[in-house]
Structure formats: C-alpha cells, structure tokens
C-alpha cells in the first residue's frame, strides 16, 4: 500500500450497542433484542470509512490493553512530536476535539506545530488540517483560527446559540482565520458549507429507502468530505459527497458495505 496520505487524531473506543424495538422512554424498562460491542470513536470511524473508500490513512490515539480500561488519556503534543512530518507524506491531518481543556490545548499546540512545518516546506508538501467540533462544550473556542477546515455539529452549533446551519456557518466563520472553510452538519436536514470567500452551499440529506442505523453517519460524512478534498475536488462537491455517503450509511448496519459504493 502507498504511504498514508491522511492522519486522523482522536478516539478509538468500544461502542456497546443495544438494539431495541423502539427508542426507550426515559425511566422505563426496555427489552434489548440484541447487543453488540463494536469499535467506535469518531477518528477511528473516520479511518474505517476512508480505508473502505480506498484511501491510505493512519490513526493516532490511545489504545487500551483491556476491555475494562476506560477514561484513556488523549494524545499530547509530546506524542505527536514523535511523528516526523518531513518524512511522512501526509497531505491532511484531521483532529477530533474531545471534551476537556487539556485536549483542546494539545490540539492547539499540534496545529501550531503543523503551521510551523508548513511555513518551512514548499507549497507542494503543505499539510492541510481540519478539526471536528461535535460536543456541546465551551473549550473548543481556542481551535477556530488555526485550521483550514472546521467541521461543526448541530449540537455544538446550537450550544453556541445558532438555530440553523445557515446561521452557524456565517457565525462561526467570523471566528476563523481568513480563507478557512466551515462545514456544518444538521442531521436529517443535510449539511452546509461556507468557503473562505463567503460562498455558501447547502446540500440536502439523502435518506435511504429504509433507515437502519445512523450511528456513525456524522463520521461517514466527515470521512467522505475529507476524501473528496484530498482527491482535489471542491468544497461544494465534498459536502454533496458527504451527504450522499452518510445517507447510504444510514441504510446499512455498520460501515463495511460502503466498500461496494462506486462513485
Ligand atoms: P452525527 O451522526 O455526528 O450526529 P449528523 O446527525 O449531523 O451527525 O449527520 C451527519 C450527516 O449524516 C448529515 O449531514 C446527513 O447528510 C446524514 N444524515 C444524518 N441523519 C440522516 C438521515 N436520517 N437520513 C439521511 N441522512 C442523514
């Protein structure tokens, strides 16, 4: 396989999935029809989908040596510094921002390190960066003006006071560095992007014939958008492809069948 082109920094974990007849009501007992333990974590899922699309990528995160270990520490600057950015041929490094000030500061430091690397390298070897802000927490605000692409969720947008994806892409872009793009997903309504020139584009969700499993739809969207951008396509096309692949994912269990997807 060729040198990995994309590095995904973030979480790998075990998702314990309980399948029920219907979504349980609060404070009621619900019979579980089926339980599965699956690999999860946003960055790990991004890597899975990118690999299924045929993209060579790597994952950087803390891996437990037992099922029971929880609360794993996230990657710090000194872990990231073990990677020689000159020797690797990464075209893109994506960060999943996790809860906690320590993680946000570590991502800030890693992004600064990449920015320094980019300043000292010729344009062809420049590494593009993105950050995903999904959780509704305050500490992510320091990450806005350091990266080329920012993926924001509906949850985070609402937490920041935006009531629609239109409001969110405009509002967040004012916090970003000039030229960077905002991409906002809004569940079954689709997604929207705004490029560095202020051009916005909305892409509707593409629902499957039968909704089967939405766990990881957002991670599929992010992976598909990064895939398109690394392949040299434009931002609007990347968001359209994100919605198309995420919609397909909602119609299948897990991710494996995305391998059969032909573009
Ligand atoms: P997350 O899975 O992180 O909560 P979202 O719910 O915002 O992320 O979904 C990400 C993308 O997945 C959306 O922009 C949309 O394209 C697609 N998607 C989500 N839910 C559906 C759905 N019910 N039908 C079709 N596409 C969906």
């Amino acid at each position: 396989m060729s040198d990995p082109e994309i590095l995904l920094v973030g979480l790998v974990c075990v998702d314990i999935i309980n399948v029920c007849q219907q979504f349980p009501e609060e404070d009621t007992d619900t019979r579980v029809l089926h339980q599965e333990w699956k690999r999860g974590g946003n960055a790990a899922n991004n890597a899975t989908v990118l690999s299924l699309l045929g993209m060579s990528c790597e994952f950087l995160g803390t891996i437990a040596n037992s099922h029971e270990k929880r609360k794993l520490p996230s990657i710090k600057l000194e872990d990231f510094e073990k990677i020689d950015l000159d020797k690797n041929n990464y075209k893109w490094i994506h960060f999943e921002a996790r809860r906690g000030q320590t993680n946000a500061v570590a991502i800030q430091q890693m992004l600064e390190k990449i920015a320094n690397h980019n300043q000292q390298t010729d344009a062809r070897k420049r590494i593009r960066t993105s950050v995903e802000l999904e959780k509704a927490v305050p500490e992510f605000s320091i990450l806005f003006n350091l990266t080329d692409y920012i993926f924001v969720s509906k949850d985070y947008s609402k937490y920041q006071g935006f009531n629609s994806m239109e409001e969110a892409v405009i509002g967040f872009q004012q916090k970003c560095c000039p030229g960077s793009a905002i991409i906002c997903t809004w569940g079954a309504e689709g997604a929207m992007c705004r490029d560095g020139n202020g051009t916005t584009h909305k892409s509707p969700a593409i629902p499957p014939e039968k909704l089967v499993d939405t766990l990881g739809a957002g991670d599929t969207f992010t992976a598909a958008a990064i895939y398109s951008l690394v392949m040299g396509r434009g931002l609007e096309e990347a968001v359209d492809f994100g919605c198309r692949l995420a919609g397909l994912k909602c119609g299948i269990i897990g991710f494996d069948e995305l391998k059969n997807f032909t573009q």
Side-chain angles (χ1 to χ4, degrees), residues 110-184:
M110 292 185 257
L111 284 166
E112 281 164 358
K113 180 147 177 79
I114 300 169
N116 285 339
H117 163 88
N118 283 342
Q119 268 177 5
Q120 289 157 21
T121 346
D122 69 71
R124 277 178 304 125
K125 291 207 77 185
R126 198 179 164 272
I127 300 168
R128 284 196 279 174
T129 56
S130 54
V131 174
E132 185 204 8
L133 311 177
E134 186 195 29
K135 312 273 182 294
V137 291
E139 53 265 19
F140 294 160
S141 52
I142 58 170
L143 298 174
F144 271 97
N145 60 358
L146 293 165
T147 178
D148 302 314
Y149 297 83
I150 300 188
F151 291 86
V152 288
S153 69
K154 180 177 172 177
D155 266 9
Y156 184 65
S157 302
K158 286 197 155 180
Y159 172 74
Q160 290 289 333
F162 303 119
N163 291 314
S164 66
M165 49 185 146
E166 287 83 354
E167 275 182 31
V169 292
I170 293 170
F172 282 128
Q173 206 179 44
Q174 288 161 10
K175 304 177 182 214
C176 294
C177 50
S180 60
I182 280 278
I183 300 166
C184 177

Side-chain angles (χ1 to χ4, degrees), residues 58-225:
E58 283 182 338
F59 168 81
L60 177 67
T62 313
I63 296 178
N65 52 13
S66 78
H67 279 141
E68 289 74 30
K69 191 136 171 117
R70 301 278 186 257
K71 289 199 168 208
L72 295 170
S74 46
I75 292 295
K76 298 187 187 65
L77 179 65
E78 60 251 42
D79 304 311
F80 188 77
E81 281 178 330
K82 292 179 188 149
I83 297 172
D84 185 338
L85 295 177
D86 291 318
K87 276 205 185 130
N88 284 282
N89 282 320
Y90 298 129
K91 290 184 175 156
W92 194 293
I93 302 183
H94 173 75
F95 295 88
E96 168 195 356
R98 299 181 56 194
R99 279 174 214 281
Q101 192 66 25
T102 315
N103 180 246
V105 170
I107 293 178
Q108 183 183 33
Q109 293 167 333
M110 292 185 257
L111 284 166
E112 281 164 358
K113 180 147 177 79
I114 300 169
N116 285 339
H117 163 88
N118 283 342
Q119 268 177 5
Q120 289 157 21
T121 346
D122 69 71
R124 277 178 304 125
K125 291 207 77 185
R126 198 179 164 272
I127 300 168
R128 284 196 279 174
T129 56
S130 54
V131 174
E132 185 204 8
L133 311 177
E134 186 195 29
K135 312 273 182 294
V137 291
E139 53 265 19
F140 294 160
S141 52
I142 58 170
L143 298 174
F144 271 97
N145 60 358
L146 293 165
T147 178
D148 302 314
Y149 297 83
I150 300 188
F151 291 86
V152 288
S153 69
K154 180 177 172 177
D155 266 9
Y156 184 65
S157 302
K158 286 197 155 180
Y159 172 74
Q160 290 289 333
F162 303 119
N163 291 314
S164 66
M165 49 185 146
E166 287 83 354
E167 275 182 31
V169 292
I170 293 170
F172 282 128
Q173 206 179 44
Q174 288 161 10
K175 304 177 182 214
C176 294
C177 50
S180 60
I182 280 278
I183 300 166
C184 177
T185 58
W186 214 266
E189 286 180 43
M192 191 156 196
C193 58
R194 187 171 169 91
D195 70 14
N197 299 320
T199 306
T200 55
H201 169 75
K202 188 173 182 175
S203 184
I206 304 177
E209 265 176 41
K210 184 167 183 267
L211 203 59
V212 175
D213 170 22
T214 59
L215 184 65
D219 302 333
T220 304
F221 174 94
T222 304

